[in-house]
């Protein structure tokens, strides 16, 4: 039996279904943004791309965490 996806990535299927873009595109947008702070990026996704707070927060948290490990 496989473990259920936890944390920010658990939102990814819903994000892709709701907004019609793959998560990789959202991550590219976040990385291309001149903004660097978590909440600035969340606010930007909410205002410019009409994402809900939870979805925006999950994308930013996952992307920033991923970038720290690179």
């Amino acid at each position: 039996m496989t473990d259920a996806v936890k944390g920010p990535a658990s939102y990814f299927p819903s994000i892709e279904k709701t907004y019609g873009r793959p998560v990789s595109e959202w991550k590219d947008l976040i990385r291309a943004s001149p903004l660097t702070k978590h909440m600035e990026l969340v606010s930007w996704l909410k205002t410019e791309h009409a994402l809900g707070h939870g979805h925006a927060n999950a994308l930013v948290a996952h992307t920033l965490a991923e970038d720290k490990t690179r």
Side-chain angles (χ1 to χ4, degrees):
M1 185 163 85
T2 59
D3 291 329
V5 176
K6 296 180 181 176
S10 67
Y11 286 86
F12 291 176
S14 178
I15 291 168
E16 290 179 339
K17 182 179 178 184
T18 302
Y19 305 105
R21 286 186 180 188
V23 168
S24 60
E25 281 188 28
W26 291 112
K27 288 180 178 185
D28 290 344
L29 283 171
I30 291 166
R31 289 182 176 118
S33 170
L35 304 172
T36 58
K37 294 183 180 177
H38 181 98
M39 288 309 297
E40 289 176 338
L41 288 161
V42 169
S43 294
W44 172 71
L45 286 172
K46 289 168 61 176
T47 58
E48 295 297 318
H49 298 283
L51 268 71
H53 181 82
H55 287 161
N57 190 57
L59 285 167
V60 171
H62 194 273
T63 303
L64 294 180
E66 208 173 56
D67 289 353
K68 283 184 181 180
T69 63
R70 287 184 175 185

